[in-house]
PDB file of all heavy atoms in Angstrom:
ATOM      1  N   ALA A   1      -5.935 -26.496  -5.810  1.00 42.00           N
ATOM      2  CA  ALA A   1      -6.928 -25.752  -5.057  1.00 42.00           C
ATOM      3  C   ALA A   1      -6.259 -24.785  -4.124  1.00 42.00           C
ATOM      4  O   ALA A   1      -6.741 -23.649  -3.943  1.00 42.00           O
ATOM      5  CB  ALA A   1      -7.825 -26.725  -4.332  1.00 42.00           C
ATOM      6  N   GLY A   2      -5.161 -25.124  -3.561  1.00 43.00           N
ATOM      7  CA  GLY A   2      -4.389 -24.283  -2.653  1.00 43.00           C
ATOM      8  C   GLY A   2      -3.897 -22.979  -3.396  1.00 43.00           C
ATOM      9  O   GLY A   2      -3.913 -21.924  -2.888  1.00 43.00           O
ATOM     10  N   LYS A   3      -3.479 -23.261  -4.708  1.00 42.00           N
ATOM     11  CA  LYS A   3      -2.999 -22.096  -5.470  1.00 42.00           C
ATOM     12  C   LYS A   3      -4.139 -21.211  -5.856  1.00 42.00           C
ATOM     13  O   LYS A   3      -3.976 -19.970  -5.907  1.00 42.00           O
ATOM     14  CB  LYS A   3      -2.265 -22.582  -6.758  1.00 42.00           C
ATOM     15  CG  LYS A   3      -0.958 -23.259  -6.445  1.00 42.00           C
ATOM     16  CD  LYS A   3      -0.315 -23.745  -7.767  1.00 42.00           C
ATOM     17  CE  LYS A   3       1.073 -24.340  -7.559  1.00 42.00           C
ATOM     18  NZ  LYS A   3       1.715 -24.743  -8.782  1.00 42.00           N
ATOM     19  N   ALA A   4      -5.283 -21.710  -6.189  1.00 39.00           N
ATOM     20  CA  ALA A   4      -6.409 -20.872  -6.696  1.00 39.00           C
ATOM     21  C   ALA A   4      -7.117 -20.168  -5.549  1.00 39.00           C
ATOM     22  O   ALA A   4      -7.532 -19.057  -5.724  1.00 39.00           O
ATOM     23  CB  ALA A   4      -7.420 -21.790  -7.415  1.00 39.00           C
ATOM     24  N   ALA A   5      -7.148 -20.754  -4.354  1.00 42.00           N
ATOM     25  CA  ALA A   5      -7.849 -20.195  -3.209  1.00 42.00           C
ATOM     26  C   ALA A   5      -7.001 -19.063  -2.620  1.00 42.00           C
ATOM     27  O   ALA A   5      -5.820 -19.215  -2.375  1.00 42.00           O
ATOM     28  CB  ALA A   5      -8.157 -21.198  -2.194  1.00 42.00           C
ATOM     29  N   PRO A   6      -7.632 -17.926  -2.220  1.00 45.00           N
ATOM     30  CA  PRO A   6      -6.927 -16.911  -1.475  1.00 45.00           C
ATOM     31  C   PRO A   6      -6.627 -17.319  -0.051  1.00 45.00           C
ATOM     32  O   PRO A   6      -7.294 -18.233   0.455  1.00 45.00           O
ATOM     33  CB  PRO A   6      -7.921 -15.700  -1.534  1.00 45.00           C
ATOM     34  CG  PRO A   6      -9.236 -16.346  -1.689  1.00 45.00           C
ATOM     35  CD  PRO A   6      -9.078 -17.556  -2.528  1.00 45.00           C
ATOM     36  N   ALA A   7      -5.662 -16.722   0.571  1.00 50.00           N
ATOM     37  CA  ALA A   7      -5.346 -17.083   1.944  1.00 50.00           C
ATOM     38  C   ALA A   7      -6.561 -16.915   2.851  1.00 50.00           C
ATOM     39  O   ALA A   7      -7.376 -15.920   2.693  1.00 50.00           O
ATOM     40  CB  ALA A   7      -4.187 -16.227   2.422  1.00 50.00           C
ATOM     41  N   LYS A   8      -6.723 -17.723   3.871  1.00 49.00           N
ATOM     42  CA  LYS A   8      -7.911 -17.690   4.726  1.00 49.00           C
ATOM     43  C   LYS A   8      -7.913 -16.362   5.456  1.00 49.00           C
ATOM     44  O   LYS A   8      -7.016 -15.910   6.119  1.00 49.00           O
ATOM     45  CB  LYS A   8      -7.826 -18.795   5.735  1.00 49.00           C
ATOM     46  CG  LYS A   8      -9.026 -18.902   6.631  1.00 49.00           C
ATOM     47  CD  LYS A   8      -8.980 -20.089   7.542  1.00 49.00           C
ATOM     48  CE  LYS A   8     -10.194 -20.204   8.394  1.00 49.00           C
ATOM     49  NZ  LYS A   8     -10.139 -21.300   9.379  1.00 49.00           N
ATOM     50  N   GLY A   9      -9.036 -15.649   5.291  1.00 49.00           N
ATOM     51  CA  GLY A   9      -9.204 -14.401   5.952  1.00 49.00           C
ATOM     52  C   GLY A   9      -8.672 -13.223   5.229  1.00 49.00           C
ATOM     53  O   GLY A   9      -8.830 -12.063   5.552  1.00 49.00           O
ATOM     54  N   ALA A  10      -7.913 -13.485   4.076  1.00 53.00           N
ATOM     55  CA  ALA A  10      -7.281 -12.387   3.310  1.00 53.00           C
ATOM     56  C   ALA A  10      -8.164 -11.967   2.177  1.00 53.00           C
ATOM     57  O   ALA A  10      -8.525 -12.739   1.360  1.00 53.00           O
ATOM     58  CB  ALA A  10      -5.950 -12.881   2.845  1.00 53.00           C
ATOM     59  N   VAL A  11      -8.510 -10.739   2.156  1.00 62.00           N
ATOM     60  CA  VAL A  11      -9.307 -10.132   1.060  1.00 62.00           C
ATOM     61  C   VAL A  11      -8.541  -8.984   0.473  1.00 62.00           C
ATOM     62  O   VAL A  11      -7.993  -8.122   1.177  1.00 62.00           O
ATOM     63  CB  VAL A  11     -10.683  -9.669   1.590  1.00 62.00           C
ATOM     64  CG1 VAL A  11     -11.515  -9.068   0.358  1.00 62.00           C
ATOM     65  CG2 VAL A  11     -11.459 -10.790   2.225  1.00 62.00           C
ATOM     66  N   GLU A  12      -8.413  -9.001  -0.918  1.00 72.00           N
ATOM     67  CA  GLU A  12      -7.667  -7.952  -1.573  1.00 72.00           C
ATOM     68  C   GLU A  12      -8.344  -6.552  -1.309  1.00 72.00           C
ATOM     69  O   GLU A  12      -9.509  -6.416  -1.451  1.00 72.00           O
ATOM     70  CB  GLU A  12      -7.617  -8.255  -3.097  1.00 72.00           C
ATOM     71  CG  GLU A  12      -6.698  -9.347  -3.439  1.00 72.00           C
ATOM     72  CD  GLU A  12      -6.514  -9.505  -4.931  1.00 72.00           C
ATOM     73  OE1 GLU A  12      -7.340  -8.878  -5.672  1.00 72.00           O
ATOM     74  OE2 GLU A  12      -5.547 -10.152  -5.384  1.00 72.00           O
ATOM     75  N   GLU A  13      -7.503  -5.587  -0.959  1.00 82.00           N
ATOM     76  CA  GLU A  13      -7.999  -4.241  -0.718  1.00 82.00           C
ATOM     77  C   GLU A  13      -8.466  -3.628  -2.038  1.00 82.00           C
ATOM     78  O   GLU A  13      -7.868  -3.945  -3.145  1.00 82.00           O
ATOM     79  CB  GLU A  13      -6.929  -3.397  -0.080  1.00 82.00           C
ATOM     80  CG  GLU A  13      -6.637  -3.799   1.360  1.00 82.00           C
ATOM     81  CD  GLU A  13      -5.717  -2.795   2.032  1.00 82.00           C
ATOM     82  OE1 GLU A  13      -4.490  -2.909   1.833  1.00 82.00           O
ATOM     83  OE2 GLU A  13      -6.167  -1.846   2.683  1.00 82.00           O
ATOM     84  N   THR A  14      -9.413  -2.833  -1.997  1.00 88.00           N
ATOM     85  CA  THR A  14      -9.778  -2.039  -3.198  1.00 88.00           C
ATOM     86  C   THR A  14      -8.782  -1.028  -3.576  1.00 88.00           C
ATOM     87  O   THR A  14      -7.918  -0.612  -2.707  1.00 88.00           O
ATOM     88  CB  THR A  14     -11.200  -1.413  -2.997  1.00 88.00           C
ATOM     89  OG1 THR A  14     -11.010  -0.407  -1.988  1.00 88.00           O
ATOM     90  CG2 THR A  14     -12.280  -2.393  -2.572  1.00 88.00           C
ATOM     91  N   TRP A  15      -8.862  -0.608  -4.776  1.00 89.00           N
ATOM     92  CA  TRP A  15      -7.849   0.435  -5.261  1.00 89.00           C
ATOM     93  C   TRP A  15      -7.990   1.763  -4.488  1.00 89.00           C
ATOM     94  O   TRP A  15      -7.001   2.443  -4.109  1.00 89.00           O
ATOM     95  CB  TRP A  15      -8.027   0.725  -6.716  1.00 89.00           C
ATOM     96  CG  TRP A  15      -7.555  -0.354  -7.600  1.00 89.00           C
ATOM     97  CD1 TRP A  15      -8.337  -1.157  -8.364  1.00 89.00           C
ATOM     98  CD2 TRP A  15      -6.219  -0.869  -7.764  1.00 89.00           C
ATOM     99  NE1 TRP A  15      -7.623  -2.111  -8.987  1.00 89.00           N
ATOM    100  CE2 TRP A  15      -6.287  -1.919  -8.752  1.00 89.00           C
ATOM    101  CE3 TRP A  15      -5.021  -0.465  -7.229  1.00 89.00           C
ATOM    102  CZ2 TRP A  15      -5.166  -2.654  -9.078  1.00 89.00           C
ATOM    103  CZ3 TRP A  15      -3.871  -1.169  -7.648  1.00 89.00           C
ATOM    104  CH2 TRP A  15      -3.959  -2.236  -8.559  1.00 89.00           C
ATOM    105  N   VAL A  16      -9.208   2.067  -4.060  1.00 89.00           N
ATOM    106  CA  VAL A  16      -9.427   3.341  -3.341  1.00 89.00           C
ATOM    107  C   VAL A  16      -8.761   3.256  -2.035  1.00 89.00           C
ATOM    108  O   VAL A  16      -8.154   4.173  -1.483  1.00 89.00           O
ATOM    109  CB  VAL A  16     -10.986   3.593  -3.216  1.00 89.00           C
ATOM    110  CG1 VAL A  16     -11.180   4.774  -2.305  1.00 89.00           C
ATOM    111  CG2 VAL A  16     -11.610   3.875  -4.523  1.00 89.00           C
ATOM    112  N   ALA A  17      -8.874   2.056  -1.348  1.00 89.00           N
ATOM    113  CA  ALA A  17      -8.273   1.838  -0.015  1.00 89.00           C
ATOM    114  C   ALA A  17      -6.787   1.891  -0.155  1.00 89.00           C
ATOM    115  O   ALA A  17      -6.078   2.505   0.722  1.00 89.00           O
ATOM    116  CB  ALA A  17      -8.719   0.564   0.605  1.00 89.00           C
ATOM    117  N   LEU A  18      -6.190   1.272  -1.141  1.00 89.00           N
ATOM    118  CA  LEU A  18      -4.748   1.278  -1.359  1.00 89.00           C
ATOM    119  C   LEU A  18      -4.229   2.710  -1.582  1.00 89.00           C
ATOM    120  O   LEU A  18      -3.189   3.127  -1.029  1.00 89.00           O
ATOM    121  CB  LEU A  18      -4.379   0.407  -2.482  1.00 89.00           C
ATOM    122  CG  LEU A  18      -4.495  -1.098  -2.292  1.00 89.00           C
ATOM    123  CD1 LEU A  18      -4.243  -1.855  -3.580  1.00 89.00           C
ATOM    124  CD2 LEU A  18      -3.677  -1.606  -1.186  1.00 89.00           C
ATOM    125  N   ILE A  19      -4.946   3.458  -2.406  1.00 89.00           N
ATOM    126  CA  ILE A  19      -4.545   4.832  -2.746  1.00 89.00           C
ATOM    127  C   ILE A  19      -4.669   5.692  -1.524  1.00 89.00           C
ATOM    128  O   ILE A  19      -3.744   6.520  -1.208  1.00 89.00           O
ATOM    129  CB  ILE A  19      -5.416   5.363  -3.915  1.00 89.00           C
ATOM    130  CG1 ILE A  19      -5.086   4.616  -5.190  1.00 89.00           C
ATOM    131  CG2 ILE A  19      -5.193   6.853  -4.044  1.00 89.00           C
ATOM    132  CD1 ILE A  19      -6.047   4.926  -6.326  1.00 89.00           C
ATOM    133  N   GLU A  20      -5.730   5.571  -0.745  1.00 86.00           N
ATOM    134  CA  GLU A  20      -5.942   6.376   0.472  1.00 86.00           C
ATOM    135  C   GLU A  20      -4.788   6.087   1.469  1.00 86.00           C
ATOM    136  O   GLU A  20      -4.255   7.055   2.047  1.00 86.00           O
ATOM    137  CB  GLU A  20      -7.246   6.143   1.072  1.00 86.00           C
ATOM    138  CG  GLU A  20      -7.566   7.029   2.317  1.00 86.00           C
ATOM    139  CD  GLU A  20      -8.879   6.744   2.926  1.00 86.00           C
ATOM    140  OE1 GLU A  20      -9.509   5.682   2.596  1.00 86.00           O
ATOM    141  OE2 GLU A  20      -9.321   7.453   3.798  1.00 86.00           O
ATOM    142  N   GLY A  21      -4.418   4.823   1.614  1.00 88.00           N
ATOM    143  CA  GLY A  21      -3.401   4.473   2.470  1.00 88.00           C
ATOM    144  C   GLY A  21      -1.993   5.065   2.110  1.00 88.00           C
ATOM    145  O   GLY A  21      -1.251   5.543   2.922  1.00 88.00           O
ATOM    146  N   TYR A  22      -1.793   4.970   0.743  1.00 88.00           N
ATOM    147  CA  TYR A  22      -0.483   5.540   0.243  1.00 88.00           C
ATOM    148  C   TYR A  22      -0.453   7.064   0.496  1.00 88.00           C
ATOM    149  O   TYR A  22       0.593   7.543   0.939  1.00 88.00           O
ATOM    150  CB  TYR A  22      -0.384   5.209  -1.251  1.00 88.00           C
ATOM    151  CG  TYR A  22       0.743   6.093  -1.909  1.00 88.00           C
ATOM    152  CD1 TYR A  22       2.074   5.778  -1.690  1.00 88.00           C
ATOM    153  CD2 TYR A  22       0.419   7.125  -2.779  1.00 88.00           C
ATOM    154  CE1 TYR A  22       3.050   6.498  -2.300  1.00 88.00           C
ATOM    155  CE2 TYR A  22       1.378   7.864  -3.371  1.00 88.00           C
ATOM    156  CZ  TYR A  22       2.681   7.552  -3.153  1.00 88.00           C
ATOM    157  OH  TYR A  22       3.711   8.315  -3.717  1.00 88.00           O
ATOM    158  N   LEU A  23      -1.491   7.800   0.171  1.00 87.00           N
ATOM    159  CA  LEU A  23      -1.467   9.250   0.362  1.00 87.00           C
ATOM    160  C   LEU A  23      -1.390   9.637   1.801  1.00 87.00           C
ATOM    161  O   LEU A  23      -0.855  10.651   2.134  1.00 87.00           O
ATOM    162  CB  LEU A  23      -2.743   9.854  -0.268  1.00 87.00           C
ATOM    163  CG  LEU A  23      -2.832   9.726  -1.822  1.00 87.00           C
ATOM    164  CD1 LEU A  23      -4.181  10.345  -2.323  1.00 87.00           C
ATOM    165  CD2 LEU A  23      -1.735  10.515  -2.482  1.00 87.00           C
ATOM    166  N   ALA A  24      -1.991   8.741   2.742  1.00 88.00           N
ATOM    167  CA  ALA A  24      -1.934   9.086   4.116  1.00 88.00           C
ATOM    168  C   ALA A  24      -0.495   8.941   4.680  1.00 88.00           C
ATOM    169  O   ALA A  24      -0.100   9.661   5.562  1.00 88.00           O
ATOM    170  CB  ALA A  24      -2.893   8.149   4.888  1.00 88.00           C
ATOM    171  N   GLU A  25       0.276   8.076   4.062  1.00 88.00           N
ATOM    172  CA  GLU A  25       1.630   7.730   4.513  1.00 88.00           C
ATOM    173  C   GLU A  25       2.649   8.738   3.921  1.00 88.00           C
ATOM    174  O   GLU A  25       3.767   8.863   4.445  1.00 88.00           O
ATOM    175  CB  GLU A  25       2.071   6.339   4.180  1.00 88.00           C
ATOM    176  CG  GLU A  25       1.250   5.261   4.925  1.00 88.00           C
ATOM    177  CD  GLU A  25       1.611   3.870   4.453  1.00 88.00           C
ATOM    178  OE1 GLU A  25       2.416   3.778   3.561  1.00 88.00           O
ATOM    179  OE2 GLU A  25       0.991   2.890   4.982  1.00 88.00           O
ATOM    180  N   HIS A  26       2.338   9.383   2.796  1.00 83.00           N
ATOM    181  CA  HIS A  26       3.265  10.262   2.144  1.00 83.00           C
ATOM    182  C   HIS A  26       2.696  11.639   2.152  1.00 83.00           C
ATOM    183  O   HIS A  26       1.605  11.889   1.526  1.00 83.00           O
ATOM    184  CB  HIS A  26       3.542   9.800   0.676  1.00 83.00           C
ATOM    185  CG  HIS A  26       4.187   8.415   0.643  1.00 83.00           C
ATOM    186  ND1 HIS A  26       3.439   7.274   0.912  1.00 83.00           N
ATOM    187  CD2 HIS A  26       5.470   8.089   0.403  1.00 83.00           C
ATOM    188  CE1 HIS A  26       4.299   6.235   0.752  1.00 83.00           C
ATOM    189  NE2 HIS A  26       5.500   6.686   0.523  1.00 83.00           N
ATOM    190  N   SER A  27       3.389  12.623   2.700  1.00 79.00           N
ATOM    191  CA  SER A  27       2.932  13.938   2.826  1.00 79.00           C
ATOM    192  C   SER A  27       3.072  14.661   1.451  1.00 79.00           C
ATOM    193  O   SER A  27       3.949  14.284   0.655  1.00 79.00           O
ATOM    194  CB  SER A  27       3.703  14.729   3.872  1.00 79.00           C
ATOM    195  OG  SER A  27       5.076  14.687   3.533  1.00 79.00           O
ATOM    196  N   GLY A  28       2.219  15.611   1.188  1.00 82.00           N
ATOM    197  CA  GLY A  28       2.249  16.419  -0.027  1.00 82.00           C
ATOM    198  C   GLY A  28       1.405  15.809  -1.075  1.00 82.00           C
ATOM    199  O   GLY A  28       1.134  14.625  -1.144  1.00 82.00           O
ATOM    200  N   PRO A  29       0.871  16.659  -1.914  1.00 89.00           N
ATOM    201  CA  PRO A  29      -0.018  16.215  -3.086  1.00 89.00           C
ATOM    202  C   PRO A  29       0.747  15.290  -4.010  1.00 89.00           C
ATOM    203  O   PRO A  29       1.898  15.445  -4.239  1.00 89.00           O
ATOM    204  CB  PRO A  29      -0.493  17.576  -3.760  1.00 89.00           C
ATOM    205  CG  PRO A  29      -0.163  18.617  -2.739  1.00 89.00           C
ATOM    206  CD  PRO A  29       1.071  18.134  -1.926  1.00 89.00           C
ATOM    207  N   LYS A  30       0.013  14.370  -4.562  1.00 89.00           N
ATOM    208  CA  LYS A  30       0.633  13.452  -5.473  1.00 89.00           C
ATOM    209  C   LYS A  30      -0.265  13.348  -6.775  1.00 89.00           C
ATOM    210  O   LYS A  30      -1.475  13.413  -6.721  1.00 89.00           O
ATOM    211  CB  LYS A  30       0.689  12.000  -4.942  1.00 89.00           C
ATOM    212  CG  LYS A  30       1.486  11.944  -3.612  1.00 89.00           C
ATOM    213  CD  LYS A  30       2.981  12.220  -3.854  1.00 89.00           C
ATOM    214  CE  LYS A  30       3.749  12.107  -2.594  1.00 89.00           C
ATOM    215  NZ  LYS A  30       5.167  12.513  -2.705  1.00 89.00           N
ATOM    216  N   SER A  31       0.429  13.274  -7.910  1.00 90.00           N
ATOM    217  CA  SER A  31      -0.347  13.116  -9.147  1.00 90.00           C
ATOM    218  C   SER A  31      -0.791  11.677  -9.446  1.00 90.00           C
ATOM    219  O   SER A  31      -0.279  10.740  -8.736  1.00 90.00           O
ATOM    220  CB  SER A  31       0.514  13.591 -10.364  1.00 90.00           C
ATOM    221  OG  SER A  31       1.637  12.701 -10.515  1.00 90.00           O
ATOM    222  N   ALA A  32      -1.611  11.450 -10.359  1.00 89.00           N
ATOM    223  CA  ALA A  32      -2.068  10.048 -10.725  1.00 89.00           C
ATOM    224  C   ALA A  32      -0.849   9.189 -11.180  1.00 89.00           C
ATOM    225  O   ALA A  32      -0.771   8.049 -10.822  1.00 89.00           O
ATOM    226  CB  ALA A  32      -3.150  10.116 -11.803  1.00 89.00           C
ATOM    227  N   ALA A  33       0.072   9.789 -11.897  1.00 91.00           N
ATOM    228  CA  ALA A  33       1.241   9.033 -12.422  1.00 91.00           C
ATOM    229  C   ALA A  33       2.137   8.662 -11.192  1.00 91.00           C
ATOM    230  O   ALA A  33       2.648   7.542 -11.149  1.00 91.00           O
ATOM    231  CB  ALA A  33       2.079   9.870 -13.349  1.00 91.00           C
ATOM    232  N   GLU A  34       2.289   9.557 -10.201  1.00 91.00           N
ATOM    233  CA  GLU A  34       3.098   9.204  -9.009  1.00 91.00           C
ATOM    234  C   GLU A  34       2.498   8.023  -8.255  1.00 91.00           C
ATOM    235  O   GLU A  34       3.143   7.134  -7.750  1.00 91.00           O
ATOM    236  CB  GLU A  34       3.294  10.435  -8.158  1.00 91.00           C
ATOM    237  CG  GLU A  34       4.188  11.514  -8.776  1.00 91.00           C
ATOM    238  CD  GLU A  34       4.266  12.775  -8.027  1.00 91.00           C
ATOM    239  OE1 GLU A  34       3.218  13.174  -7.497  1.00 91.00           O
ATOM    240  OE2 GLU A  34       5.319  13.396  -7.913  1.00 91.00           O
ATOM    241  N   VAL A  35       1.168   8.154  -8.044  1.00 90.00           N
ATOM    242  CA  VAL A  35       0.478   7.142  -7.330  1.00 90.00           C
ATOM    243  C   VAL A  35       0.546   5.756  -8.088  1.00 90.00           C
ATOM    244  O   VAL A  35       0.772   4.732  -7.416  1.00 90.00           O
ATOM    245  CB  VAL A  35      -1.038   7.506  -7.125  1.00 90.00           C
ATOM    246  CG1 VAL A  35      -1.819   6.358  -6.502  1.00 90.00           C
ATOM    247  CG2 VAL A  35      -1.126   8.754  -6.252  1.00 90.00           C
ATOM    248  N   SER A  36       0.371   5.786  -9.349  1.00 90.00           N
ATOM    249  CA  SER A  36       0.521   4.502 -10.166  1.00 90.00           C
ATOM    250  C   SER A  36       1.857   3.889  -9.964  1.00 90.00           C
ATOM    251  O   SER A  36       1.982   2.642  -9.771  1.00 90.00           O
ATOM    252  CB  SER A  36       0.241   4.819 -11.600  1.00 90.00           C
ATOM    253  OG  SER A  36      -1.100   5.346 -11.852  1.00 90.00           O
ATOM    254  N   THR A  37       2.896   4.723 -10.089  1.00 92.00           N
ATOM    255  CA  THR A  37       4.252   4.167  -9.880  1.00 92.00           C
ATOM    256  C   THR A  37       4.482   3.618  -8.523  1.00 92.00           C
ATOM    257  O   THR A  37       5.077   2.483  -8.415  1.00 92.00           O
ATOM    258  CB  THR A  37       5.324   5.287 -10.201  1.00 92.00           C
ATOM    259  OG1 THR A  37       5.113   5.845 -11.488  1.00 92.00           O
ATOM    260  CG2 THR A  37       6.665   4.754 -10.016  1.00 92.00           C
ATOM    261  N   ALA A  38       4.024   4.314  -7.539  1.00 90.00           N
ATOM    262  CA  ALA A  38       4.194   3.824  -6.167  1.00 90.00           C
ATOM    263  C   ALA A  38       3.406   2.484  -5.885  1.00 90.00           C
ATOM    264  O   ALA A  38       3.950   1.587  -5.248  1.00 90.00           O
ATOM    265  CB  ALA A  38       3.749   4.885  -5.153  1.00 90.00           C
ATOM    266  N   LEU A  39       2.217   2.408  -6.399  1.00 89.00           N
ATOM    267  CA  LEU A  39       1.472   1.204  -6.219  1.00 89.00           C
ATOM    268  C   LEU A  39       2.077  -0.005  -6.983  1.00 89.00           C
ATOM    269  O   LEU A  39       1.978  -1.106  -6.597  1.00 89.00           O
ATOM    270  CB  LEU A  39      -0.022   1.388  -6.635  1.00 89.00           C
ATOM    271  CG  LEU A  39      -0.839   2.318  -5.795  1.00 89.00           C
ATOM    272  CD1 LEU A  39      -2.229   2.485  -6.398  1.00 89.00           C
ATOM    273  CD2 LEU A  39      -0.882   1.941  -4.367  1.00 89.00           C
TER     274      LEU A  39
END
């Protein structure tokens, strides 16, 4: 049960949130391929 259950209070971020965070931290335009590699 401990393996199957996510950590208490931890919810996986959506892809949109992860991508927005990556682009905010890295200056300059990025292509879809660059974003995929970074994630």
Side-chain angles (χ1 to χ4, degrees):
K3 290 182 178 179
K8 184 177 181 180
V11 178
E12 287 188 345
E13 289 187 276
T14 62
W15 289 113
V16 175
L18 291 175
I19 291 171
E20 184 183 9
Y22 166 74
L23 292 177
E25 294 175 0
H26 297 77
S27 60
K30 303 295 182 182
S31 66
E34 291 174 322
V35 175
S36 299
T37 301
L39 292 182

